[in-house]
Amino acid sequence: MSGEPESGQREQGVATTLEAEAEAVPLAPELLISDLLRYGVLASLSLVTLGTLVTFLRHPDYLVSSEALQRLTAPHSVPHGLAEVVAGAMAARGQSFVMSGLLVMMAVPVMRVALSLLIFRQQRDTRYVVITSVVLGLLVLSFFLGAAEG
């Protein structure tokens, strides 16, 4: 009997140490941002696909009638406000799902800037906090000005 631990005990100790190190290491900012972009695009794509399927399943005449398809693509038939999109999604309207997917796609870059702001604040990088705050403010202002215009 030597003073060395058995192989199983040594492996268990190494595994425990690796688990503790994995828990202690915060996620890298690059991974957080890439996950946000990846899952945002997947959510957007899923909503657009779901909306397209719902639209054509509820209205199969869109596949064979050009007049019906023109009604579908007319500008007045598309929900224009957030309240209309939410109400349409609750009523299972395909166009509302498509529009919500497009809204998610537009929101993802804004959320990326907001996440960057949080990361820079955590790193205490005041220069980039100021720059990112200005960029985020301009993005939010552009949404409000666009909503007031439309």
Side-chain angles (χ1 to χ4, degrees):
M1 295 239 159
S2 66
E4 290 184 29
E6 293 182 17
S7 175
Q9 290 176 338
R10 197 171 337 138
E11 289 173 3
Q12 183 180 14
V14 170
T16 305
T17 304
L18 290 175
E19 288 173 6
E21 287 177 9
E23 289 177 13
V25 175
L27 289 175
E30 297 83 15
L31 292 176
L32 288 172
I33 291 170
S34 69
D35 284 347
L36 171 70
L37 296 174
R38 179 179 301 117
Y39 295 126
V41 169
L42 285 174
S44 174
L45 177 65
S46 299
L47 286 167
V48 169
T49 303
L50 174 67
T52 303
L53 288 173
V54 166
T55 297
F56 284 106
L57 287 174
R58 289 183 74 184
H59 303 282
D61 56 321
Y62 290 155
L63 295 170
V64 294
S65 170
S66 62
E67 293 86 22
L69 191 58
Q70 285 177 346
R71 281 194 319 268
L72 172 68
T73 58
H76 67 289
S77 67
V78 178
H80 291 300
L82 188 58
E84 291 178 51
V85 172
V86 171
M90 295 304 237
R93 290 192 194 104
Q95 288 178 316
S96 294
F97 284 115
V98 170
M99 188 60 71
S100 63
L102 296 176
L103 289 173
V104 168
M105 182 57 71
M106 289 177 6
V108 166
V110 178
M111 291 187 297
R112 188 249 188 260
V113 173
L115 179 60
S116 295
L117 177 63
L118 295 175
I119 291 169
F120 291 139
R121 283 188 63 197
Q122 181 186 23
Q123 294 174 346
R124 302 190 193 294
D125 192 341
T126 54
R127 177 184 299 166
Y128 285 108
V129 167
V130 170
I131 293 169
T132 308
S133 296
V134 169
V135 170
L136 185 59
L138 290 172
L139 286 169
V140 171
L141 179 65
S142 71
F143 283 133
F144 283 124
L145 292 176
E149 189 71 26

